[in-house]
Amino acid sequence: MDRIRIVGGNELHGVIPISGAKNAALPLMIASLLTDDTLTLENVPHLADVEQLIRILGNHGADISVNGRRERQGESYARTVHFTSRNIVSTTAPYELVSKMRASFWVIGPLLAREGKARVSLPGGCAIGTRPVDLFIEGLAALGANIEIDGGYVNATAPAGGLIGARYVFPKVSVGATHVLMMAATLANGTTVLGNAAREPEVVDLAKCLNAMGAKISGQGTSTVTIEGVRSLSGARHRVLPDRIETGTYAMAVAMAGGDVILEDTEASLLDTALEAIRRAGAEISETNSGIRIVRNGAGIKPVDIVTDPFPGFPTDLQAQFMGLMTRSSGVSHITETIFENRFMHVQELARLGAKISLSGQTAKVEGVSRLKGAPVMATDLRASVSLVIAGLAAEGETMVSRVYHLDRGFERLEEKLTRCGAHVERVSD
Ligand code: EPZ
């Protein structure tokens, strides 16, 4: 199994190209099941989760081709992928496929809308909390679906004439349930109004793509999204938006290691709250024509308290990385996680590098230390694992991160992107 070896101490200088967002690409790919025409997605990141979803969509009958000619984008390669689901050959998403990635559960929306039925295994995914699916079930039931849970599967059936537009207010903000309800409602009879909807940029990107396919969605990016049902959707061409979590991760890496880096092909407006926290920690951040420049020269890292929240709040997907940064601050910071109840698994691994962190309920108290020391550590989930890489960049000596398959789920060419900026990071295959 591959490991990542980091020798800390080098500053980062150079340009890091930001990939297309994993968490936008996944729902966009799933949206291709809504039409028998071709959906072409540009800027699709090459990640284990994307490959896994390609297998899942293939199981439903999607014909998928990746452009032979890879689109050059800085040092990285963004792929253009064509999805054509002329016929849905199966409305079942089996346990073997869905258990590997939670987002694959989301196929329930398009399958139900287009075929009138879906049988989808209850999901798996990163072990960061219980992550129930009650909001999906309640929301789809509001659109008239009949839903039963049997033997680990959700069996959903639409009324004879198809799903029916309705008003549904989410009792809690959920990105995935907003994606699914939005997709399902595009082909429903009548108008659906979703209240307390997620406002994440990935939801906006999905709505934009669905509208390009002929859907009638408005209000995306606010907490009330309105979807007027249409009879059918067509193909479209859509560019996946930049990955704000990858952007924030590298910004924090520079804040941690010091240096001067341009994050290319991304937008500051996707992560204002996180950038503000990094700024308060002592880095200088400015916008460039094509992205963001981040500089930390000499200044120490200041302690900053954060609380994770749905967009536009501080993203839970950057919480572990920010904690990594705070381990070297000059004081005490508090990091509160409000989205997932078990997203602190990086704490004990960061402690192996010498970090001083104590947990009290949903809040971690991080007492900054003047030095971290490299050690063997283990990746526990996607974002936790990259927090160990960030800490390793500033630790003395060698940090060896094992179980890097977690990293490969969500970070495209991580070691290459960091190495080109002067970091000592390499993949070691046993
Ligand atoms: C998306 O997960 C992201 N995944 C996550 O990123 C991200 O952490 C999360 O949104 C929050 O921003 C993808 O986009 C593929 P939620 P999702 O439904 O949609 C509870 C990463 O590292 N909830 O917004 O699964 C849930 O348990 C991943 O890239 C219910 O209670 O998250 C959580 O506490 C990890 N019932 C909260 O809502 C439900 O039916 C928010 O979850 C659904 C969710």
Side-chain angles (χ1 to χ4, degrees), residues 51-311:
E51 299 311 303
Q52 174 65 10
L53 187 56
I54 284 180
R55 280 189 283 278
I56 289 167
L57 296 178
N59 170 65
H60 297 299
D63 182 25
I64 298 162
S65 64
V66 179
N67 247 24
R69 177 185 64 82
R70 286 184 168 189
E71 182 190 334
R72 183 129 192 134
Q73 184 204 38
E75 304 295 341
S76 183
Y77 295 86
R79 302 181 306 164
T80 295
V81 188
H82 310 275
F83 301 85
T84 314
S85 301
R86 199 71 67 211
N87 297 300
I88 300 291
V89 298
S90 168
T91 52
T92 299
Y95 175 74
E96 308 77 74
L97 294 176
V98 180
S99 58
K100 297 209 173 88
M101 183 178 49
R102 181 176 168 87
S104 47
F105 180 77
W106 301 348
V107 297
I108 194 167
L111 292 177
L112 188 59
R114 181 166 160 192
E115 297 295 301
K117 59 179 181 169
R119 177 173 156 76
V120 181
S121 168
L122 288 163
C126 278
I128 54 180
T130 50
R131 306 184 81 182
V133 292
D134 54 324
L135 304 178
F136 297 81
I137 292 176
E138 223 180 78
L140 291 171
L143 298 185
N146 179 16
I147 297 180
E148 282 166 15
I149 297 182
D150 176 38
Y153 279 77
V154 177
N155 295 320
T157 329
L163 293 171
I164 305 156
R167 185 179 169 78
Y168 177 71
V169 180
F170 293 98
K172 179 176 188 176
V173 177
S174 162
V175 175
T178 303
H179 285 321
V180 164
L181 273 260
M182 209 162 68
M183 287 192 276
T186 56
L187 295 180
N189 297 300
T191 300
T192 299
V193 179
L194 301 176
N196 198 23
R199 291 185 280 162
E200 269 64 5
E202 293 75 22
V203 170
V204 177
D205 206 37
L206 176 62
K208 200 168 149 193
C209 177
L210 290 168
N211 281 344
M213 293 164 73
K216 291 189 173 161
I217 304 176
S218 57
Q220 59 274 18
T222 75
S223 52
T224 305
V225 178
T226 304
I227 307 117
E228 252 179 80
V230 296
R231 289 187 70 83
S232 65
L233 295 178
S234 61
R237 192 174 182 98
H238 178 84
R239 186 172 179 84
V240 179
L241 96 168
D243 196 317
R244 65 194 165 100
I245 304 304
E246 192 195 24
T247 306
T249 299
Y250 287 123
M252 290 176 198
V254 179
M256 183 68 156
D260 185 345
V261 169
I262 289 180
L263 305 175
E264 215 171 49
D265 300 321
T266 186
E267 291 160 34
S269 61
L270 296 171
L271 69 162
D272 282 335
T273 311
L275 291 180
E276 185 49 34
I278 301 170
R279 226 178 241 128
R280 282 168 51 212
E284 289 162 42
I285 297 174
S286 52
E287 287 186 51
T288 67
N289 284 344
S290 62
I292 300 168
R293 179 173 175 203
I294 164 138
V295 183
R296 188 173 72 80
N297 277 334
I301 300 169
K302 296 191 202 99
V304 177
D305 293 347
I306 56 138
V307 178
T308 64
D309 254 324
F311 192 85

Side-chain angles (χ1 to χ4, degrees), residues 18 78 99 118 185 196 299 393 411:
I18 299 301
S99 58
N196 198 23
L393 290 174
F411 289 94

